[in-house]
Amino acid sequence: MSISSNAPRVKPHFAFLSHMCPLPLACLFLVALSTLSAWPLPLRTRQAGEAPNDPVSARVDLRLEGNRISLRAHEASLREVLEAFASYGVRVSMQPGVEATIHGEVRDVPVEEALRELLGNLNYDILWREIPFGRSRVLALSGIRVYRDGAANDPMQSVAPGERRIRRLETGERYLADEVLMGMGPGVSPDDFRALLRSMGGQVVAVDPDLGIYRIRLPANSNVPALLARLKGEAGVAVVEPNFVYELPGSSPMPLQHRADAPALRDLPPPVAGAPALAILDSGLEADWLGDGALRASMDATNPQREISDPVGHGTQMALIGSGRIAPHGAGHPGDAASAPIVAIRGFDEEGLSTSFGILESLRFSREQGAGVVSMSWGSYTRSEILNAGFQQAADADMILLAAAGNDGKTDPMYPAAYPAVLAVGALDAHGGIWEKSNRGEHVDFVSYGSADFPVGSRGPPGPYAGTSIATPWVAAAITTYRARHPQATSEQIIRVLTQSLSPHSAEIQGAGSGRFDENARLRFLETAP
């Protein structure tokens, strides 16, 4: 493997540091190394005219399996190679200005040896983690940091994965290319699990420790449908499916005729200490729109290393409704709903896309931050057994989950609203009738106010919007208030009181659930003991 770099040559030195980590889910090991320039690896230069293995990144083909690696690079930049590592879930950073050109090939060698040859005269740190598997652990590369000699404490730049590729199954569902989610059955040993990973060329990227679901990265251009068919017949595999992709605009508020008057934001009192929180799992948050102290916690599930933001605007709109700073058309004063702290989660990226595993991570963060209610103003017609299990687990932990029924005017089930553990919320229009574009069907539980004026837009200008998206956090805010007033009430008791408080539909209304969560229903609900 030939390397050219703008960095000076340095004398090799080694410093090893290992420690026992108190974290229950992953023990981390840090190795700081300065690499050698001539490590005895099997090298080969790609011949002229040879087709690259990966059409998206034609110059880099990386396969990472546990603590071993195969890499082929054709006149690739160092950043391109590091992006390939990042696509395996490795957190990568590098000193600004560090450059190198990589050319050649290594096959099935230890990661440390490959990096010594790969990085030549550059220094690097690597971080390992042990992913829990039953009572044992599976080793996975966790981080790489690259820098010049003497610059270990200088600021570093994060290296993001290369272009994300999305594929479709024959049935139409979209998924991330070269990834699967898998759970193992009882009796599977760590050695059996490692052998299975090796047979599929897979590397564990992350794990949901509560569900026992592993996110597994595959070699470039893997035939995911064929692999799924094979794994579903594999002994010991309890569940396997693609890492499905979900799109935010499916439940986005829809612009109405513009009004000239700007909505007035209600001043919020500080949240009551220890009050249950409302989690908004959406496109993120611009926190300046919330009142002081209203934000309990936040996370960017698309990139946990950065502060939360909201390039789409949809999540900020939903947080304004959930916090009580904005009330939908037809609703009264939200009262104590404003006292609920908000847990804001950015589960969707700049393109408005999320994944099954990203949703699982968001649910776990909501639970860890003490959210008793989760509002999800988005949906898809893709059903996931893994997400179904994740939502059921959250409900079993006494969380109340609500999701938008959808804005397509259909009767087909939309998920997550149609999962048994989730309350599906349809929309009323500004005049109190069923909104014409609100999805209907047996899975819809009830409807509520679905239009509001916003000072921030969602993929558009500020102003009036409509959708089942808006109805969902409005009901979620009322449930959060109820939980604060009745901290001993179980989710089952709260849902029963809410259902009994609904205003009835007229006889001709079909497919809109058990009733209407209008202003009268909200007042009855908040005034009724469990």
Side-chain angles (χ1 to χ4, degrees):
M1 181 172 288
S2 60
I3 302 173
S4 61
S5 171
N6 64 357
R9 308 295 287 184
V10 297
K11 294 181 179 180
H13 68 274
F14 300 87
F16 296 90
L17 172 65
S18 64
H19 63 278
M20 296 302 295
C21 175
L23 295 177
L25 300 180
C27 189
L28 306 179
F29 302 91
L30 182 65
V31 183
L33 301 170
S34 179
T35 57
L36 297 173
S37 60
W39 200 257
L41 297 174
L43 307 179
R44 183 177 70 82
T45 301
R46 179 176 291 161
Q47 301 301 313
E50 181 179 352
N53 211 32
D54 184 352
V56 174
S57 179
R59 294 180 290 194
V60 180
D61 181 18
L62 174 68
R63 181 167 174 159
L64 187 61
E65 298 178 20
N67 64 344
R68 303 188 72 83
I69 184 176
S70 296
L71 171 67
R72 179 163 42 180
H74 181 75
E75 298 297 331
S77 69
L78 174 60
R79 177 171 287 274
E80 287 176 308
V81 174
L82 293 178
E83 285 176 352
F85 277 96
S87 72
Y88 274 90
V90 179
R91 294 188 179 184
V92 181
S93 62
M94 61 188 300
Q95 183 185 3
V98 170
E99 297 177 359
T101 299
I102 314 298
H103 186 82
E105 181 176 8
V106 296
R107 292 184 180 180
D108 194 26
V109 299
V111 169
E112 292 90 341
E113 295 182 11
L115 287 178
R116 289 180 189 134
E117 178 70 9
L118 171 69
L119 297 175
N121 53 8
L122 296 172
N123 297 332
Y124 67 90
D125 303 333
I126 57 176
L127 191 68
W128 293 96
R129 62 174 172 168
E130 290 183 331
I131 296 176
F133 182 80
R135 297 181 179 179
S136 185
R137 296 286 189 269
V138 176
L139 189 66
L141 182 63
S142 177
I144 301 175
R145 194 167 61 114
V146 181
Y147 53 92
R148 297 189 184 94
D149 191 37
N153 297 321
D154 288 1
M156 301 286 164
Q157 287 181 342
S158 296
V159 177
E163 180 184 0
R164 178 176 59 184
R165 294 177 294 159
I166 297 174
R167 298 285 185 263
R168 285 188 183 272
L169 298 176
E170 290 184 356
T171 48
E173 297 92 341
R174 296 194 298 171
Y175 65 94
L176 280 188
D178 306 325
E179 284 194 12
V180 294
L181 303 183
M182 187 166 66
M184 307 304 294
V188 178
S189 71
D191 287 342
D192 291 339
F193 184 53
R194 281 188 284 266
L196 179 60
L197 289 175
R198 192 164 184 81
S199 73
M200 55 196 283
Q203 170 77 2
V204 175
V205 174
V207 60
D208 184 302
D210 300 323
L211 282 178
I213 296 297
Y214 296 88
R215 179 186 171 199
I216 298 172
R217 176 74 180 181
L218 305 169
N221 305 312
S222 291
N223 187 334
V224 170
L227 179 63
L228 292 173
R230 189 198 107 193
L231 290 174
K232 287 178 180 178
E234 194 86 29
V237 176
V239 61
V240 62
E241 63 183 33
N243 194 4
F244 288 119
V245 171
Y246 307 94
E247 188 171 3
L248 188 64
S251 286
S252 238
M254 305 178 71
L256 300 170
Q257 185 177 0
H258 183 68
R259 297 179 182 177
D261 53 321
L265 294 177
R266 177 174 175 245
D267 291 332
L268 300 176
V272 177
L278 167 58
I280 305 289
L281 200 176
D282 212 282
S283 66
L285 175 70
E286 294 299 338
D288 290 344
W289 288 106
L290 295 184
D292 293 340
L295 182 64
R296 170 177 287 181
S298 63
M299 180 183 75
D300 185 339
T302 68
N303 185 350
Q305 300 180 72
R306 68 185 176 193
E307 295 293 323
I308 195 169
S309 60
D310 186 8
V312 177
H314 189 264
T316 301
Q317 288 185 339
M318 300 307 104
L320 287 170
I321 294 288
S323 69
R325 297 214 77 188
I326 293 289
H329 300 147
H333 192 283
D336 293 338
S339 64
I342 297 295
V343 174
I345 303 169
R346 180 181 172 184
F348 293 79
D349 63 14
E350 289 83 355
E351 300 176 31
L353 301 177
S354 187
T355 65
S356 294
F357 199 84
I359 301 304
L360 290 180
E361 291 182 311
S362 300
L363 284 175
R364 186 169 67 251
F365 181 79
S366 300
R367 186 166 60 250
E368 291 170 349
Q369 298 303 318
V373 185
V374 181
S375 177
M376 298 171 285
S377 292
W378 50 272
S380 165
Y381 295 104
T382 297
R383 189 182 192 280
S384 162
E385 290 297 334
I386 288 175
L387 278 191
N388 183 38
F391 287 121
Q392 187 60 58
Q393 184 184 71
D396 291 343
D398 209 39
M399 299 175 74
I400 298 178
L401 313 167
L402 301 94
N407 300 338
D408 299 327
K410 296 182 178 181
T411 58
D412 299 332
M414 177 171 274
Y415 301 95
Y419 291 123
V422 180
L423 296 174
V425 187
L428 298 170
D429 61 25
H431 306 290
I434 305 297
W435 185 47
E436 61 179 0
K437 294 183 178 180
S438 179
N439 282 10
R440 302 192 186 196
E442 294 181 358
H443 64 286
V444 177
D445 289 286
F446 46 80
V447 294
S448 190
Y449 301 115
S451 63
D453 295 308
F454 292 103
V456 59
S458 172
R459 295 190 183 274
Y465 284 74
T468 57
S469 292
I470 294 169
T472 304
W474 178 247
V475 181
I479 295 174
T480 306
T481 298
Y482 193 95
R483 297 209 92 145
R485 293 182 179 181
H486 305 282
Q488 303 305 316
T490 66
S491 59
E492 182 178 355
Q493 291 173 319
I494 295 170
I495 293 172
R496 183 174 63 249
V497 173
L498 184 148
T499 303
Q500 293 172 348
S501 301
L502 296 173
S503 299
H505 289 308
S506 56
E508 70 275 9
I509 299 298
Q510 300 293 324
S514 301
R516 307 150 63 89
F517 192 80
D518 55 17
E519 185 60 18
N520 290 330
R522 187 182 74 86
L523 294 175
R524 282 193 296 270
F525 171 56
L526 293 177
E527 293 170 358
T528 303

